[in-house]
Amino acid sequence: MITDVERNAVAPESKHGQQSAAKPVLARLKFRVGRRLGRLSATAVAGALLVGLSPLAAGAQPAAAVPNYSGDPTQYWNNVLLQTFRDARGMDAAPGKLTRAAAMVNAAIYNAESAYQYTHGTLKYQPYLDQPLKYARWPLHHRRDEEERVIDRTAYRIVSQLFPGDQAYIDAQFTARTGSDPNSFDILDRLVVDPVVRQINEARSGDGSDNSQVYSGDTTTPGAWRPTGGSCRQASDAVTPNWGVVKPFVLSSGSQFRPATLGAFASYADLLASPAYAAQRDEVRQLGAVNSTARTTDQTAAAWFWANDLDGTYKPVGQLLELTGIVARQGGLDKYQNTRLFAMVSLAMADTAIGIWDTKYDTPIKLWRPVSAIQATGGANSTWQPLSADRSGAPFTPCFPSWASGHSGFAGAWAGVMKRFFDSDNVSFTAHSEDPHTPMAYRSFTSFSQAGQEEALSRLWLGVHYRWDSTDGLALGDNVAGYLFANALLPICQSEPASADGPRPPKCRGRAAR
């Protein structure tokens, strides 16, 4: 069997049209198959000198830095991804765009790992989108670091294409982990990385995520969303108004789990005249005010802990990806399990973002934010401001309609995936925050649902959402997680033969049918 290095050593001669001169080199390489790699490289160098080529052109490898494969590769690249989230600005930092990026990165990593497992290991779960890729089409030396290389090189490619402005940083992170240049040759690029990246890109091509049409809806009728000040001054500032019609990753449409709450009101006037609306508005007026005396100290702490709205933070999507890693490390997941968990969390949040934005912009009522609703009541409320603030301390409200809450949707999707993945909700863990206002960097929880519910309610305490925004968002996210678990990345099962007692339930086996 000829190794990767042996192929590399003879390829340049053929490429440069010196095949006759290179034949002795090829003969010597084949003769020495199985001998020590050091002697093989020396032979390649000697042959190169005979035909007038440089040692590097003949395949001799320059001294490379030692790889630093400490820690899990999926976790490593998700940490790289979080830095790109911190660097993102403007529409590039929109929640939907970040969830789409996370889903593409982690779905690609998962599919690359699935190809590795199908080729060299045990394929236990269906890949995303397609049949598994078996890439060893000819005898291929299986190096001990191959699984690592498959993940590193796939993650690098996807993160690079999604965040070109961070290329220098991404390159440095690749080199720091692998000890090699990002542009260095690796046969796995052709066998695994290229087809996996192409598959993900083709699936997302034309998905509507690049629709830059600005919002031009009603911003004057009482109850209808309107700009809230700061960087949100005109209708065209509304963030990603078309995200609700982006092609989902797993769902059939963004409206698949649309909540019914505001659909009960025929018009804005009907909504504003209802006791339910008055109760929602008055609750956030009391609990979400910057100077609230009704909000407890712990509620204030929770409000800031889960915020992460501002530029320079890893945003709510990044906070939940970080928390996924915390729980995964605590649970001792292996490489394969990590790729599947991160893919499921990311896919669920991406489709939840589409579903949440469907409720925000594609339903008859585009609900105004609490600050608009409360100030409209006049009197002492005309100067009401939420607890939420930017880095300077000025009031801050995200620039899109209130119903339903994106944070809450992501929290529901995350908790929904985690409790199903670990087959238990009652898992204790400690979460982290990097919001600049948070009085505590860490908070501990005894279940996934507890954390999800607190994140959802934190938006009420922060003064930027009504309770029904949080409740409906949380439920939508959990519905997406449930649908994902029933329809994607499923265990590979094979029906057992029927017995005298009737059909037997499917039994999940290791490797898929060939």
Side-chain angles (χ1 to χ4, degrees):
M1 181 175 68
I2 301 176
T3 67
D4 296 356
V5 175
E6 292 166 320
R7 287 193 190 89
N8 298 349
V10 300
E13 284 83 2
S14 176
K15 180 178 179 181
H16 288 85
Q18 301 183 32
Q19 294 177 341
S20 59
K23 285 181 179 179
V25 180
L26 178 58
R28 285 195 297 275
L29 290 177
K30 290 183 176 179
F31 180 76
R32 289 168 173 76
V33 169
R35 294 194 179 185
R36 293 193 310 113
L37 182 60
R39 291 186 61 187
L40 177 61
S41 297
T43 302
V45 172
L49 294 176
L50 288 174
V51 297
L53 298 177
S54 69
L56 183 57
Q61 302 297 312
V66 177
N68 178 23
Y69 292 149
S70 61
D72 179 81
T74 301
Q75 297 240 26
Y76 180 87
W77 285 103
N78 272 272
N79 287 335
V80 173
L81 186 65
L82 298 194
Q83 185 56 47
T84 68
F85 288 4
R86 296 183 187 101
D87 294 340
R89 295 292 185 271
M91 290 295 178
D92 290 338
K97 289 183 178 290
L98 298 184
T99 59
R100 178 180 183 270
M104 290 180 68
V105 169
N106 284 305
I109 289 175
Y110 173 73
N111 276 5
E113 172 67 8
S114 296
Y116 172 83
Q117 292 295 335
Y118 193 47
T119 302
H120 296 298
T122 300
L123 188 69
K124 299 178 181 178
Y125 306 99
Q126 297 174 2
Y128 174 63
L129 292 176
D130 205 358
Q131 294 299 314
L133 168 69
K134 188 177 183 184
Y135 59 82
R137 294 190 174 94
W138 61 79
L140 179 69
H141 181 61
H142 179 209
R143 282 171 42 180
R144 293 176 60 185
D145 66 348
E146 187 167 318
E147 184 178 15
E148 174 76 39
R149 286 156 53 216
V150 162
I151 294 176
D152 287 337
R153 301 187 78 86
T154 301
Y156 169 80
R157 285 272 298 279
I158 292 284
V159 177
S160 295
Q161 76 172 36
L162 291 169
F163 298 94
D166 285 302
Q167 193 63 61
Y169 164 74
I170 298 166
D171 286 354
Q173 296 306 300
F174 180 89
T175 301
R177 184 165 183 86
T178 68
S180 61
D181 185 278
N183 297 313
S184 59
F185 174 82
D186 193 314
I187 191 65
L188 294 178
D189 286 339
R190 186 171 67 183
L191 298 179
V192 189
V193 180
D194 289 349
V196 166
V197 171
R198 182 167 57 250
Q199 177 196 45
I200 297 298
N201 285 339
E202 289 177 351
R204 300 316 301 172
S205 176
D207 64 0
S209 60
D210 59 352
N211 188 333
S212 59
Q213 183 177 357
V214 300
Y215 185 68
S216 58
D218 176 11
T219 59
T220 59
T221 300
W225 177 81
R226 69 277 317 278
T228 52
S231 60
C232 184
R233 296 188 176 277
Q234 53 192 8
S236 60
D237 292 331
V239 175
T240 55
N242 309 295
W243 205 262
V245 293
V246 167
K247 175 187 173 183
F249 283 79
V250 177
L251 298 184
S252 59
S253 73
S255 62
Q256 186 170 339
F257 294 111
R258 181 186 289 177
T261 304
L262 296 194
F265 302 102
S267 65
Y268 287 113
D270 186 28
L271 169 69
L272 269 56
S274 69
Y277 167 78
Q280 294 278 324
R281 180 196 61 206
D282 290 345
E283 181 182 35
V284 68
R285 177 181 62 80
Q286 296 178 47
L287 291 177
V290 63
N291 56 356
S292 172
T293 58
R295 186 180 57 243
T296 68
T297 300
D298 190 61
Q299 288 171 339
T300 299
W304 286 124
F305 181 85
W306 292 108
N308 294 288
D309 282 311
L310 306 179
D311 286 343
T313 70
Y314 47 25
K315 315 300 187 301
V317 178
Q319 184 177 28
L320 291 172
L321 287 175
E322 179 190 61
L323 184 49
T324 301
I326 291 171
V327 176
R329 285 191 296 273
Q330 181 177 299
L333 300 191
D334 62 25
K335 289 185 179 71
Y336 193 9
Q337 292 169 325
N338 269 322
T339 64
R340 183 168 179 259
L341 176 59
F342 274 88
M344 298 191 93
V345 165
S346 300
L347 291 168
M349 288 198 294
D351 275 5
T352 294
I354 296 170
I356 291 291
W357 258 249
D358 166 79
T359 67
K360 288 182 181 296
Y361 289 106
D362 300 319
T363 53
I365 292 178
K366 289 81 170 168
L367 186 63
W368 60 4
R369 288 282 183 165
V371 64
S372 302
I374 295 167
Q375 289 184 358
T377 63
N381 292 328
S382 62
T383 58
W384 185 93
Q385 293 293 349
L387 173 64
S388 177
D390 63 18
R391 290 180 183 273
S392 72
F396 169 78
T397 294
C399 196
F400 35 79
S402 191
W403 183 72
S405 161
H407 274 69
S408 303
F410 301 146
W414 178 84
V417 167
M418 298 298 281
K419 67 186 179 184
R420 291 173 173 87
F421 185 94
F422 289 99
D423 200 25
S424 175
D425 191 23
N426 300 318
V427 174
S428 297
F429 54 88
T430 298
H432 170 254
S433 174
E434 60 184 34
D435 189 275
H437 299 290
T438 185
M440 54 196 311
Y442 299 93
R443 285 177 74 84
S444 295
F445 302 90
T446 57
S447 72
F448 300 125
S449 293
Q450 181 191 25
Q453 290 166 359
E454 182 179 274
E455 180 173 6
L457 288 174
S458 73
R459 307 305 285 170
L460 168 66
W461 302 327
L462 205 61
V464 294
H465 278 289
Y466 310 92
R467 182 178 289 270
W468 56 25
D469 299 345
S470 299
T471 301
D472 286 349
L474 195 67
L476 191 154
D478 185 67
N479 284 335
V480 171
Y483 184 85
L484 173 69
F485 257 80
N487 293 278
L489 282 58
L490 299 172
I492 293 173
C493 300
Q494 182 174 336
S495 296
E496 289 289 286
S499 68
D501 299 324
R504 297 177 181 176
K507 181 178 181 181
C508 291
R509 299 187 181 277
R511 192 181 298 272
R514 301 288 174 163

